[in-house]
Amino acid sequence: MIRQILLPLLIAFCVPPAVLLGGIRRPRLAPPLAIAGASVTLLTVVMSWRGGGHTLSWSWVPNFNIRFMLVNDGLALLYSLIAAGIGLMVLVYSSGYLPHYLKKHDRPLNVQTSYYAWLALFMASMLGLVMAADLILLFVFFDLTAVCSYFLIAFDRTEESRSAALSALLVTGITSVGMLIGILWLYAEHGTFSIGELIDRVKPGITLSGAMGLMALAAVAKSAHVPLHFWLPRAMSAPTPVSAYLHSAAMVAAGVFVLHRLNPLIAQVPLVQTVLMILAGFSILIGSLLALDATDIKKILAYSTVAQYGYVSLMLAVGGVTATAAAAIYVLVHALCKSALFMVAGAGEAMTGTRSLEQLGGLARKQPMLAITSVLPAATLAGLPLTAGFFKDEGFFKIASGHSWGMTVVATAAAALTLTYTWRFWHGIFLGSPGAPAKPASRRMLFPIACLALLCLVGGMYMAPAVHLATVAAYDVYPQTAQETEVLSSTYHFAATTPNVMALTAYGGGFLLWISRRWWERRLRGLVRTMERVGPDVTYVRLLEWTSRLADWLHQVEMRDLRDRIAGVLIPAGLLVGLAIVGTSTYSWPAVSGSSLTPVGSSSLLGLILVLAGASALCVVRQRDHLGLILTLTATGFFLALVYALLGAPDVSLVAVLVETVLTLLLLATLWILPASVLQQEKEREARRHDNRWYTVAGVMAAALVFVLSMTVLSEPRQDSVSNRHLELAEQVHAENIVAAILVDFRGLDTLGEATVIFVALLGVGTLLETGGRSRSHTIMMNTAFNEKLAMGLLLPITVVGIALLVKGYHETGGGFAGGMVVALGILLQYIVLGHQRIKQGVPQVGSWAYGLAAAGLGLMLAVSFAPLITGHPPLSHVPGPGNDPFTLGSLEGHTSLLFESGIFLLVIGFTVLMLQHVMEWRERA
């Protein structure tokens, strides 16, 4: 059961790092790795279909009742099939599309690695979203899709693509904050984030109404509903495979999935249902009109997506088992046909070099295979018989006719408009007079189109499996509803039923609209131009401009340099703390009568070192010379390390000494990098600055803030301090070093997150510092023969000391970080004496090896953290567990925590070597 739920998600999240690791060294490996990973993911999703309906739940944040809760019910399986299946087809299509695309835009082939990695991560995020049974987990995956979409839309790195990515991120990101507020509102009232528990507990009221309103707003923004639809046509600046996946089957589907999953809660709030119906109706109307006017073939499909997901939201606003099942069928079939049509648009652009209907035409004669395969997805979108689209429209007609006369008219008119703009799209590309010259399309682009077209045709012949899955999904959403024998039909009925009459009327209406297009085209164009002048897109641009001006003004006022920024944070923070103290009637000033901290040794020695640390800090603020500034900062850090040692914190003291040493050497290297003229200009500019009162006030307020907070905490120690709990738990995990146990076990996820941030920062710094220029050999010191022999001779013993700190760190002073820093110091010594050119001669691929070490360290930490999930244990469950004896090898004790520490060890070494490598190379190119 656990494997059925977890396996698809684990495999999906393993694909992006695999693509990165393989693609960085050999970019041509990225496509096959991504395709293979998506294939295995899809296979595991299909296999989990047989045993669906299970829930997996682990405690994540017990104090707030947040659980890592996954479910593979019918709704999760349906959306998982869409995410994994369409994702696989898009990846195959990309392998044929992207080389041509990169060549056209003069970009190197190695950039495709990040493209495939982000696309794979988006697919994994969608799987996590649809399987989430906890609202916090759902929110995390919901926002992760927004982050992935930002990088995919901005893949071209042009002004247009970045602007489009920003608009998508802002619209979906800002509204997702509302979703989080709604989630917390529900938790504050009912004490749980579990979707199932909330459905059972929640009753109609102001809390439910407000929370569902905020969450529905985030959902409709994600699904590009009017008036928040403008980000979707802008996003068509992304590569076509991105549009085929994100904007037909994934990102926009994430919004309606939230409406699907929370439908029983939304059904209890009539106001939210009414607003959803209104927004859905406007989305259908405006999206259809814009699709009829657009000439860019991708924007035609984008506007049609706005309209099509309006159908889905309209059905979900009606609510109930039948409407939920019909909406599920619609989402499934729409994903098949719309992704295929986006691929057709991309193939047309690749063959002709244009996306304009006015320059396309006649491709049926030049590319008959593409024309034949594209007919089926187009017919499916139009809802014609013998395709799966007929059944998606039949369900929509059934819901509309059963609700009201007005909705029946809206549904019929919407279907007629769909038929018209779909025919306009297909006719403009494949029929009519020949347009731009065309070259043959890649077979890897045609294959996924043909596969999706075949599924559209098979669905028209045998729709029973899809209808069954949609019905199961609907009853899983409404588990307390009595199950009927048939919710939706999977066969054709040759009778004058209401859905059939509506379908025939829509076909006739679409035909009339097409033949009368000369009458309405010009009028529609004028209406659309008016909407463009006063629409939400204009409002968004103006709001963005005003926000940018405000940010520029604030930057000029209070953020002229780094010290101004720091002062701008410290002064408001100090004021807020002061106001809190003044405004709190129960606050009493701390008594300075004693301390729970007993120094190791003489108190006078501790006092002397604190005085020296304070004097060093005062020297820092009076320094004007850059070298003196670095040295006085270092002295302050070393004095504080002595304080930690005297207060009985040897681990903290050791790490402080190592960090101060490495940072001092790196700062000196940075000082060596910067041209002397720049340093002199900065020194003269500082000398001309007369008014330092702003910094004085900031410093005084910062000191007062830290003093008051520290004394308040230390003077009234809590009896139930978490440190006591850590002492108790340390014995259970066989740890004598409490600090190591906290970092590796108790707060291991924090450590993992920080390590991930370090690795990402490393990639960013490397990208920034990789600039062109001739390479010249430099060393920081005189590389005399004695110095060389001394440095090389010290490397091995220093490494041994680092490994000893790593191995013994769980029981004595040390750990992976300290050991890694010691080895890093040994490597730094080699760079100082030998210079990086000598090191590169000895180890030609030193940069690649360092990246490999850092990636291996992070990968090892991830593996140790999440491997317990496979056996049904929570993340970071180390072996041996509490109550079991550890492995022993002589005086050494073994735990999987040592592997976690080893990951930190490798990451620190890789990070240091790469930073040194980039710094040295940048200096040589300067």
Side-chain angles (χ1 to χ4, degrees), residues 282-293 303-304 306-308 311 413-414 417-418 421 524:
F282 276 109
S283 298
I284 293 170
L285 175 63
I286 294 176
S288 298
L289 293 179
L290 292 172
L292 286 172
D293 176 73
Y303 288 127
S304 76
V306 174
Q308 296 292 308
Y311 300 178
L417 290 169
T418 301
Y421 61 65
L524 177 60

Side-chain angles (χ1 to χ4, degrees), residues 60 175 199 201 279 391 431 499 615 619 669 683 857:
W60 185 8
T175 53
I199 291 174
R201 295 182 190 178
L279 294 179
F391 294 99
L431 300 182
C619 291
K683 190 174 180 180

Side-chain angles (χ1 to χ4, degrees), residues 513-649:
L513 280 171
W514 177 252
I515 63 175
S516 62
R517 64 187 182 280
R518 296 184 183 277
W519 177 82
W520 52 259
E521 276 182 342
R522 185 176 299 176
R523 293 172 175 81
L524 177 60
R525 189 164 293 113
L527 175 62
V528 170
R529 299 301 172 266
T530 302
M531 289 192 295
E532 289 176 349
R533 287 193 294 270
V534 297
D537 198 3
V538 177
T539 304
Y540 163 79
V541 171
R542 289 177 179 171
L543 283 174
L544 203 60
E545 290 175 351
W546 294 340
T547 306
S548 180
R549 289 173 188 169
L550 177 61
D552 290 341
W553 178 78
L554 289 173
H555 187 275
Q556 292 297 324
V557 169
E558 60 179 353
M559 295 187 177
R560 290 183 294 272
D561 58 24
L562 179 60
R563 283 172 297 182
D564 286 322
R565 296 184 184 186
I566 295 173
V569 172
L570 293 178
I571 290 179
L575 289 173
L576 288 173
V577 171
L579 289 173
I581 292 174
V582 173
T584 304
S585 59
T586 58
Y587 182 83
S588 58
W589 289 96
V592 194
S593 58
S595 173
S596 59
L597 298 175
T598 304
V600 179
S602 172
S603 298
S604 58
L605 177 60
L606 176 62
L608 175 62
I609 294 174
L610 285 172
V611 170
L612 292 174
S616 299
L618 290 175
C619 291
V620 170
V621 301
R622 302 300 301 171
Q623 280 292 329
R624 295 292 181 266
D625 179 72
H626 293 93
L627 180 59
L629 184 63
I630 293 173
L631 294 178
T632 50
L633 276 172
T634 303
T636 306
F638 280 124
F639 281 130
L640 291 176
L642 284 173
V643 172
Y644 300 143
L646 289 174
L647 290 176

Side-chain angles (χ1 to χ4, degrees), residues 445-519:
M445 295 169 65
L446 295 177
F447 175 74
I449 300 174
C451 291
L452 293 170
L454 182 62
L455 288 175
C456 292
L457 180 62
V458 171
M461 302 294 184
Y462 184 58
M463 198 65 179
V467 170
H468 172 71
L469 180 58
T471 303
V472 171
Y475 281 116
D476 285 335
V477 173
Y478 287 92
Q480 297 177 350
T481 304
Q483 297 193 12
E484 302 175 14
T485 55
E486 185 179 82
V487 174
L488 296 174
S489 174
S490 60
T491 58
Y492 293 98
H493 300 279
F494 299 97
T497 61
T498 302
N500 283 348
V501 172
M502 292 172 69
L504 292 174
T505 305
Y507 301 152
F511 176 74
L512 291 175
L513 280 171
W514 177 252
I515 63 175
S516 62
R517 64 187 182 280
R518 296 184 183 277
W519 177 82

Side-chain angles (χ1 to χ4, degrees), residues 60-322:
W60 185 8
V61 187
N63 291 346
F64 296 99
N65 199 20
I66 301 175
R67 305 188 65 80
F68 187 83
M69 189 181 298
L70 301 175
V71 64
N72 68 336
D73 61 0
L75 187 67
L77 285 171
L78 185 141
Y79 277 91
S80 296
L81 287 171
I82 294 172
I86 302 299
L88 174 60
M89 292 294 101
V90 168
L91 288 169
V92 174
Y93 180 85
S94 297
S95 67
Y97 176 90
L98 209 59
H100 154 80
Y101 185 85
L102 295 176
K103 184 178 180 181
K104 177 183 175 182
H105 291 81
D106 296 322
R107 300 190 66 189
L109 187 64
N110 60 0
V111 301
Q112 72 175 357
T113 299
S114 62
Y115 167 88
Y116 284 104
W118 282 116
L119 207 58
L121 182 59
F122 194 102
M123 182 178 71
S125 305
M126 275 298 298
L127 289 176
L129 172 68
V130 302
M131 295 174 68
D134 181 278
L135 285 178
I136 293 294
L137 194 62
L138 182 143
F139 173 78
V140 169
F141 287 123
F142 190 82
D143 263 14
L144 186 56
T145 61
V147 174
C148 295
S149 71
Y150 174 84
F151 287 100
L152 287 168
I153 296 171
F155 177 73
D156 283 346
R157 299 185 180 181
T158 61
E159 187 65 30
E160 180 186 6
S161 64
R162 287 173 175 171
S163 175
L166 180 63
S167 65
L169 183 65
L170 287 176
V171 172
T172 59
I174 291 174
T175 53
S176 70
V177 174
M179 170 185 275
L180 180 60
I181 294 172
I183 291 171
L184 296 176
W185 198 349
L186 288 172
Y187 173 77
E189 182 77 16
H190 301 284
T192 182
F193 292 107
S194 170
I195 297 174
E197 292 178 7
L198 286 170
I199 291 174
D200 293 335
R201 295 182 190 178
V202 174
K203 303 298 180 185
I206 186 64
T207 298
L208 182 61
S209 299
M212 286 302 102
L214 291 170
M215 298 179 75
L217 176 63
V220 298
K222 196 84 160 182
S223 293
H225 283 24
V226 172
L228 300 175
H229 67 287
F230 56 87
W231 68 265
L232 185 58
R234 281 169 164 260
M236 293 303 105
S237 58
T240 299
V242 173
S243 302
Y245 190 44
L246 271 65
H247 308 135
S248 64
M251 185 172 179
V252 286
V256 294
F257 169 77
V258 172
L259 298 179
H260 240 134
R261 180 64 78 189
L262 302 179
N263 204 253
L265 298 175
I266 294 174
Q268 299 182 49
V269 188
L271 178 60
V272 174
Q273 287 182 296
T274 302
V275 173
L276 268 179
M277 287 183 186
I278 294 171
L279 294 179
F282 276 109
S283 298
I284 293 170
L285 175 63
I286 294 176
S288 298
L289 293 179
L290 292 172
L292 286 172
D293 176 73
T295 56
D296 184 316
I297 53 178
K298 283 183 67 175
K299 287 191 175 181
I300 292 174
L301 297 176
Y303 288 127
S304 76
T305 300
V306 174
Q308 296 292 308
Y309 275 101
Y311 300 178
V312 179
S313 295
L314 194 62
M315 288 185 278
L316 291 173
V318 172
V321 172
T322 305

Side-chain angles (χ1 to χ4, degrees), residues 784-801:
T784 63
F786 175 76
N787 287 339
E788 291 181 11
K789 291 181 180 179
L790 179 63
M792 296 173 68
L794 287 175
L795 181 59
L796 179 59
I798 289 175
T799 303
V800 171
V801 171

